[in-house]
């Protein structure tokens, strides 16, 4: 007598069947509360267990998503191997500038994951297209892409993500920008830089310290302050 599948297992089995019918298309098979659970499943898929036989006929990966760790897989058996998905993609994005006058509008080149941060699915990394526009008479070219999952990437979030991808700490970020003379002596510029790069918490700490010292805090004092707090957050 066949085992009666529980709801969770039945859904997993159905997703695997459907993925097998759409060879080469990445499908989300399951979401786990922990990395451990998702890695176990990725291992089973890679080893060709149960639904995923024979070994080598599936690719799978685990990625963070809104509600945990997602397992994505695609069936690649019975035909030529599709191009592998790279881990990262490098794209040009628009930096929106600062303040009401949008000063410093321009293009940033950033490296981000090829996985959507919302669902863990592949981004449209293989369909990146140039997007041209004019801003105050200046011609600007950035990159545009559409994610197959339907989640849209917002430029500000992409910039913040690229900083995390490179594991740049707030302290490193400020030091690099200061050395390159992208920011000046006053710590308020360091705080603005942190905000632009998605480090709102560190920026708030620096602004608080600027206030504590009656407005007299240099960029390098801000670095020392962040380091004292523990390795730059
Ligand atoms: Zn998505």
């Amino acid at each position: 007598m066949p085992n009666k599948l529980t709801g969770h297992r039945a859904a997993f089995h159905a997703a695997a069947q459907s993925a097998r019918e759409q060879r080469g298309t990445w499908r989300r098979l399951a979401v786990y509360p922990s990395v451990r659970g998702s890695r176990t499943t990725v291992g089973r898929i890679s080893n060709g267990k149960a639904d995923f036989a024979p070994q080598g006929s599936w690719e799978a990966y685990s990625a963070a998503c809104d509600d945990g760790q997602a397992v994505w897989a695609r069936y690649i058996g019975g035909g030529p191997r599709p191009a592998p998905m790279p881990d990262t993609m490098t794209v040009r994005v628009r930096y929106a500038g600062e303040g009401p006058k949008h000063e410093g509008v321009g293009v940033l080149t950033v490296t981000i994951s090829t996985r959507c941060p919302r669902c863990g699915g592949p981004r449209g990394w293989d369909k990146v297209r140039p997007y041209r526009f004019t801003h105050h008479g200046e011609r600007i070219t950035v990159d545009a892409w559409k994610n197959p999952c339907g989640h849209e990437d917002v430029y500000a979030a992409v910039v913040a993500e690229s900083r995390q991808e490179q594991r740049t700490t707030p302290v490193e970020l400020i030091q690099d920008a200061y050395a390159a003379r992208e920011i000046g002596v006053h710590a308020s510029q360091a705080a603005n830089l942190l905000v632009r790069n998605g480090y709102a918490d560190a920026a708030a700490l620096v602004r608080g310290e600027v206030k504590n010292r009656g407005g007299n805090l240099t960029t390098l004092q801000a670095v020392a302050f962040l380091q004292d707090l523990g390795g730059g957050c």
Side-chain angles (χ1 to χ4, degrees):
M1 202 176 132
N3 285 331
K4 198 174 177 188
L5 295 176
T6 63
H8 173 76
R9 286 196 54 195
F12 182 79
H13 179 72
Q17 287 304 111
S18 156
R20 187 180 279 272
E21 284 156 19
Q22 294 168 282
R23 182 180 187 279
T25 303
W26 289 101
R27 287 287 306 266
R28 184 154 94 158
L29 299 187
V31 176
Y32 296 86
S34 72
V35 178
R36 200 173 155 195
S38 66
R39 289 223 174 120
T40 303
T41 297
V42 167
R44 289 184 57 229
I45 296 170
S46 304
N47 290 325
K49 302 281 186 220
D51 284 330
F52 307 100
Q55 187 173 12
S57 59
W58 289 77
E59 285 180 339
Y61 68 84
S62 157
C65 65
D66 278 348
D67 36 9
Q69 285 285 321
V71 171
W72 284 75
R74 65 175 174 178
Y75 177 63
I76 58 167
R81 209 180 172 80
M85 175 164 61
D87 288 335
T88 60
M89 57 197 274
T90 298
V91 287
R92 296 164 294 178
V93 299
R94 179 182 172 168
Y95 169 57
E98 279 180 68
K101 288 183 178 168
H102 297 286
E103 280 182 84
V105 168
V107 178
L108 296 175
T109 300
V110 298
T111 297
I112 54 171
S113 169
T114 48
R115 279 81 151 153
C116 166
R118 302 283 313 281
C119 67
R123 276 177 161 141
W125 64 271
D126 51 350
K127 295 180 191 73
V128 176
R129 299 257 182 279
Y131 174 73
R132 297 180 180 86
F133 62 96
T134 305
H135 179 83
H136 293 319
E138 196 186 342
R139 291 159 66 94
I140 295 178
T141 305
V142 295
D143 289 314
W145 63 94
K146 231 181 185 164
N147 296 330
C149 60
H151 293 129
E152 272 185 54
D153 282 314
V154 182
Y155 286 156
V158 164
V159 171
E161 184 188 324
S162 79
R163 288 295 175 187
Q164 283 164 14
E165 186 78 25
Q166 293 164 32
R167 292 189 180 80
T168 307
T169 66
V171 162
E172 288 167 345
L173 180 69
I174 296 171
Q175 287 179 325
D176 289 352
Y178 190 66
R181 304 199 178 187
E182 291 165 13
I183 58 172
V185 171
H186 197 270
S188 62
Q189 294 181 43
N192 292 339
L193 176 79
L194 291 171
V195 169
R196 291 206 295 275
N197 287 280
Y199 291 121
D201 293 348
L205 290 169
V206 169
R207 283 176 178 154
E209 186 64 5
V210 169
K211 221 174 175 181
N212 287 344
R213 300 208 199 176
N216 298 313
L217 186 72
T218 67
T219 294
L220 290 181
Q221 284 169 336
V223 165
F225 166 70
L226 288 174
Q227 282 170 333
D228 285 347
L229 289 177
C233 312

